[in-house]
Amino acid sequence: MDATGRFVKYRVERQVLDEQRLEELTQRKPYSDTHPSLTERLKDSLRCSVPKLKRTVLSSLPVLYWLPKYSVWDYGMPDLIAGISVGIMHLPQGMAYALLASLPPVFGLYTSFYPALIYFFFGTSRHISIGTFTVLSIMVGSVTERLVSDGDFLKMNGTNITAEVDVIARDSYRVQVVAATTVLGGLIQVLLGLVKFGFVGTYLSEPLVRAYTTAAAGHAVVAQLKNIFGVSPTRFSGPLSLVYTLKDVCSLLPHTHIPTLVVSAVSMVFLIAAKELNSFLSPKLPVPIPVELITIVAGTLISNYAQLNSNYTVSVVGEIPSGLSPPRVPDVSLFGEVIGDAFALAIVGYAICISLGKTFALKHGYKVDSNQELVALGLSNAVGGFFQCFSVCSSMSRSLIQETTGAKTQMAGVVSSLIVLVTILKLGPLFQELPKAVLGAVVFVNLKGMFKQYSDIVTLWRTSKIDLVLWLVTWVSTVLLNLDLGLAASITFAVLTVIFRTQMPTYSVLGNIPGTELYVDIEMHKQVKEIPGITIFRSSATVYFANAELYVEALKEKSGLDISKMIIYKRRQEAKQKRREKRAERRAKRQAKRELSVLSRFSVEEEAGSWRDTCIDENVTNTEDHCWTQKENGTVFVIPTTPRTPNEHCRWEYLKGGDPDSTSLGWMSEPQDGDTITIGSSSEDTLSHDLERVSLGSLGKWTWDIHSIILDLSTANFIDTVAIKTLKNIFKDFSEIDVNIYVAGCQASVVEQLDLGDFFSQSVTKTQLFASVHDAVLYCLEHHGVTSSPRYEPSVTRSKTRQHASH
């Protein structure tokens, strides 16, 4: 195709590669060589050798790989500084997020200590900080609030008729519930990691995770309103619990505890101002200022000296036991009640960890094993659950501090754990007078980054409407249905969006870029020429059971050939032709009998001769006149037609009841009593010739100039049995209207699936599969040229073809 649009004949300068020639040239290996059987793979996995054992041990315990190579001179000081910085952040966040989990603050310190040590041995990321995290703390808190309510632990206050909550018994049972949930979630993570199910985190797309964490931040804010305003709202659980809690808090605002509100406001103002100053001075500071720790220490000192608890009834943390608690076996009977929550915690925690880990690994040039990360996080949770820890994952803020302060390995995690250990052993009781309002303020201010994620709405509106809908659905479902049901609804909707995109892909007809072997969408590019007689059809998605029917419909629309109607019409005409042939034979037999009876009274040949002479004479004078005689029965007319040339004999036409000038063989749609039957010296040949004119082209219903259709399957990465049957039907249906089908661009795996699905046969061979679209085009041009099939009228262009099809 030149620049003017004229067709230029291709010169085949290389061999046209169909699938059969490609296999011969490349000597493709048999399927059994590239796909070992299940038995062979099982034997290979059980086969043991020293190198394999070494690889297995090093992959299961990554610390054995990097610790012997650890350089104290190069990595010691950066890891020490980063560990101290992160350890200082662990203290306020651990105690604050324990309140989100509806647990005493000391369990937040336990959660900041044990899991980080376990991850040191099994983790593969060098920069993430394992410990408490806002979203998981809220999810754990929803479990404890649902299963352990205050109403279950009421006790009588001495001789008064009023009841009080037995806080010690309530918190003890909550710890059991949380430990069982954490251990079960950890076991789920370990199991998924062992079966190489690390890719499960990919089902949580970035818009879904960001919307989920944004909605979870809303739950955290509502959960801390009681500590900020000093009120005691009713606890709700289940769907719409956030709405009910917020409504109850608003109704209690007139009863706000003013001293608590003042402490909260002062703490938040100080935190916000200090964080802004910290970010302004961060380029000039070697390590960031520990703003949260300074706030907690200052709040504890002020509360202790001002006696805020006794003088102003400001709620404080209370007793913090010193020392480590012994491990306890979780209550297995609780597993059935928390298995859904445990699975949600396992998936969300892993998704956050792997996303952060891969981000830092890409930045610093090392690899993170997704399956090993799942195992490491699972062991951190499972072991931590025995020490009364709640579910953990990596924290965005702490991980960023660990990375920016120069951490090189997970040795920084060990240093931060030692800081927490010293606090648990010696400094814990010093924080007994810490107001809970200060911890609530810490949570509020740390959620600022999550609230900034609302700007995603504007960004996604400009970039992807489907991702925007996913973001909104995730946010709404998480806010209204709570964290567990919200996550399930979000993942379900995300999977539905994928199915929707594959069910409704973009279908296009391709044209050639002049002077190249490239083929692109003709509707999207102006300087692209469509090759005459060839339609190149491509789908942007894999053809499979969910979109196979839509693929066929799009092919009909884009090619301009309504194949179903055309085939039905053709078969109907063929059936009519067969009925007419049988009717003609019966009439011919009856007429022959009738002629034999007439011969006894006069000679048909003499009468025919006189008619012939009369017709020849009248043909000379007036060729438009016809001679005909009515037989004695009054219903059958014998019409000798006028010859087209002087040497041509007259033909006999029989009509049964009707005007002989009102019927014509070629345009009958239904068998009528006035059907015309032509007989003569070669009646069968004449009849077949006339009936042959009743075809799709001669009837004028459709005309087209397409002789080949090329299906570009380069976008397909698999093909199922439904799609294979669909392709078979496409080959069969289009062959009935003399349009050849070819397939191009199949990947080797797709060809193997076609072979296993019995796609190839005598009518469909591998010679109809080509390595590229250009190979298929060259083949079509070489074997078909640029003219249409000789059976049909090729004078109609593509636009006219579509107009005929639409009419």
Side-chain angles (χ1 to χ4, degrees), residues 113 147 183 201 334 353 357 400 430 585 623:
F113 171 65
L147 298 180
V183 171
L334 295 172
C353 272
L400 187 61
L430 299 179
E585 291 178 359
T623 59

Side-chain angles (χ1 to χ4, degrees), residues 433-547:
E433 295 296 323
L434 173 64
K436 291 184 179 180
V438 176
L439 295 178
V442 171
V443 173
F444 253 78
V445 176
N446 283 336
L447 292 174
K448 181 182 68 173
M450 292 188 182
F451 287 129
K452 288 182 178 180
Q453 294 178 160
Y454 281 106
S455 61
D456 292 350
I457 297 176
V458 179
T459 303
L460 294 176
W461 174 261
R462 294 195 301 262
T463 57
S464 175
K465 299 297 190 298
I466 294 180
D467 286 339
L468 174 61
V469 173
L470 175 61
W471 198 101
L472 294 175
V473 169
T474 301
W475 186 87
V476 171
S477 60
T478 305
V479 167
L480 298 182
L481 302 179
N482 225 339
L483 295 171
D484 48 357
L485 295 178
L487 178 63
S490 304
I491 295 177
T492 302
F493 186 79
V495 174
L496 289 178
T497 60
V498 176
I499 296 175
F500 173 78
R501 294 185 188 190
T502 57
Q503 269 194 310
M504 305 294 292
T506 301
Y507 298 104
S508 55
V509 175
L510 308 184
N512 178 252
I513 300 177
T516 70
E517 296 185 3
L518 302 178
Y519 295 83
V520 294
D521 190 351
I522 60 175
E523 295 181 359
M524 298 179 62
H525 303 83
K526 296 181 179 179
Q527 300 299 323
V528 173
K529 304 300 180 182
E530 191 172 2
I531 300 175
I534 302 175
T535 295
I536 306 171
F537 180 74
R538 181 175 66 187
S539 169
S540 61
T542 296
V543 184
Y544 69 114
F545 70 92
N547 62 7

